[in-house]
Amino acid sequence: MQEVALPRFITEDDAEAIGILETKMRAVYRDPAAYPPFTDVSNQPELWSIVIQRARARAAGGPCRVLEIGSGRSGFAAVLAESGLRKAGGVHYTAHDVTDANRDFLRARADDTVIGPVSELAGPFDIVFHSFVLEHIVRPRAFLEQILALLPPAGLHIFSCPRYDAPGMAPPSLAHFGVRGRLAYALFNLRRALSGRPRFPLLSDPAIFHGPYYRDADAIHCVALRDIERLHRDRADIERFRIPAYTLKDRLVKRLMSMHLILRKTP
């Protein structure tokens, strides 16, 4: 009987494995036909309302530079326009993405558009935000470090993402491993909860490489709150914010299975 494969987890310290994963993920995101999120306009009103609120406070003291990472086909520009904050240069909005597929869409809406790695962005930005992007990042530790470097003292990094360290949680990108894969992930999660390692682990063989897209089939970063807290210790103050929840399932997803954070860079 053929043995069922089990998931393999890697970190940014494994340069060869990360390079292979990065190359494969770039190929996925270069093909809009195979990646439906690049064809639909996104809507994240709960997170965007926090960004607008903080941008309004910043703009009261002068121009506020706002950067959205992993914009895709973001509807944020329309929400920003409705707020009135773009008038007279109160807020300057830069949209970033990793693929040319969205370049024209973003150029028509943002003040500036940057296509390419986050490492190519030039700050400072008063506010950097993204919504359910961190779980798709191949080099999450470097990504978070790069965002810190883009912020001035008291600059804000605002984001929402899943908590794949929560009990019973597992990335949907594990589905092709079946029940054995979920059990293996539960044991992996328990070990890292007890030891604190590995930090910023990634799934090396996500479902997106084995079949058509479904939601979070490309979620490769096994996001843990503890990793984020440790990386930002003495470098940023961490504030949690709540987004509205209307049903029991909604509360479970938004309170326990997701994290919503504001990181304020310390001097």
Side-chain angles (χ1 to χ4, degrees):
M1 188 170 72
Q2 186 177 4
E3 185 177 352
V4 178
L6 291 176
R8 177 183 172 224
F9 302 99
I10 60 177
T11 69
E12 288 163 81
D13 297 327
D14 188 339
E16 182 178 358
I18 287 292
I20 293 170
L21 178 60
E22 192 167 44
T23 298
K24 289 182 175 181
M25 294 303 295
R26 282 176 180 165
V28 167
Y29 296 138
R30 276 198 300 266
D31 185 2
Y35 195 68
F38 284 165
T39 64
D40 301 324
V41 177
S42 65
N43 185 34
Q44 301 291 340
E46 294 95 347
L47 176 75
W48 293 346
S49 66
I50 298 295
V51 175
I52 293 293
Q53 178 191 88
R54 299 304 174 101
R56 190 180 299 281
R58 294 290 175 117
C64 176
R65 294 190 64 191
V66 174
L67 166 68
E68 181 177 18
I69 292 181
S71 300
R73 293 191 166 233
S74 173
F76 178 73
V79 174
L80 186 60
E82 290 173 6
S83 74
L85 288 174
R86 290 181 81 174
K87 293 179 180 178
V91 168
H92 184 279
Y93 167 49
T94 298
H96 159 270
D97 207 1
V98 295
T99 174
D100 274 332
N102 301 312
R103 185 189 296 270
D104 291 342
F105 177 92
L106 295 172
R107 277 184 170 173
R109 291 159 176 81
D111 296 304
D112 282 316
T113 301
V114 179
I115 305 295
V118 173
S119 58
E120 293 181 1
L121 288 162
F125 294 96
D126 300 290
I127 298 175
V128 176
F129 75 97
H130 48 92
S131 181
F132 293 93
V133 167
L134 188 56
E135 66 271 26
H136 305 292
I137 299 297
V138 177
R139 302 175 188 269
R141 184 177 57 201
F143 173 80
L144 293 168
E145 293 276 9
Q146 287 159 0
I147 292 177
L148 267 176
L150 291 171
L151 295 171
L156 303 178
H157 178 191
I158 305 173
F159 64 94
S160 296
C161 67
R163 279 199 65 175
Y164 290 136
D165 58 339
M169 277 286 281
S173 51
L174 277 168
H176 59 302
F177 289 104
V179 174
R180 287 191 65 191
R182 291 189 67 88
L183 290 174
Y185 187 77
L187 290 173
F188 168 82
N189 229 1
L190 178 61
R191 285 197 301 270
R192 70 167 170 167
L194 294 174
S195 68
R197 293 183 179 277
R199 296 179 187 173
F200 300 103
L202 299 115
L203 176 64
S204 65
D205 190 31
I208 195 69
F209 298 160
H210 298 274
Y213 172 84
Y214 59 83
R215 185 174 178 179
D216 286 339
D218 57 328
I220 51 176
H221 173 209
C222 306
V223 189
L225 176 61
R226 192 176 182 184
D227 288 343
I228 294 168
E229 290 175 335
R230 283 179 167 173
L231 181 67
H232 292 88
R233 185 175 297 156
D234 300 326
R235 305 166 75 187
D237 298 321
I238 300 180
E239 173 188 347
R240 300 189 193 192
F241 64 92
R242 284 197 169 192
I243 57 179
Y246 306 101
T247 65
L248 176 59
K249 180 181 179 181
D250 207 26
R251 283 195 291 272
L252 286 172
V253 170
K254 292 177 177 177
R255 305 283 191 263
L256 301 178
M257 300 164 67
S258 307
M259 65 178 86
H260 312 280
L261 302 178
I262 302 172
L263 310 182
R264 180 182 178 274
K265 184 174 178 178
T266 54

